[in-house]
Amino acid sequence: MRCEDIRKLLSNYIDEEISRELCQAIDHHLLGCQNCEAFLSTFKVTIKLVRRQRQGSIPEEVHQRLHWFLSQMQRD
């Protein structure tokens, strides 16, 4: 699996909406790819922040750091 494939599936992976085989393939990829592991971690934190901040916006510093990180991941 390629990093791009992983990123497209992360939402479904987190929500456990994919097959066991696909989940295992993603797990295997994550073990060897620090970039995707970091992306997943950031994605999970983002979800938590959004759920917590539904009535407001995320802090500007978090927004900037997240935007920078995601733009860097898109380049890989």
Side-chain angles (χ1 to χ4, degrees):
M1 265 191 148
R2 299 175 310 149
C3 295
E4 181 180 330
D5 301 325
I6 299 297
R7 291 184 196 124
K8 289 178 182 177
L9 295 168
L10 280 183
S11 181
N12 291 334
Y13 173 80
I14 291 170
D15 293 337
E16 299 178 357
E17 297 175 343
I18 57 176
S19 69
R20 177 182 286 173
E21 294 79 17
L22 191 51
C23 185
Q24 289 173 342
I26 292 171
D27 288 340
H28 179 72
H29 178 89
L30 290 170
L31 287 174
C33 183
Q34 291 178 340
N35 287 337
C36 286
E37 186 178 352
F39 192 89
L40 174 61
S41 177
T42 301
F43 196 68
K44 286 180 177 180
V45 169
T46 302
I47 290 169
K48 287 180 184 178
L49 285 172
V50 168
R51 286 182 179 153
R52 220 182 297 156
Q53 299 271 349
R54 286 191 190 259
Q55 296 157 358
S57 60
I58 63 172
E60 183 61 27
E61 179 185 344
V62 173
H63 174 76
Q64 289 175 359
R65 288 179 26 212
L66 179 60
H67 185 269
W68 177 85
F69 179 79
L70 294 174
S71 67
Q72 294 300 310
M73 293 304 295
Q74 291 293 328
R75 294 180 188 170
D76 291 341

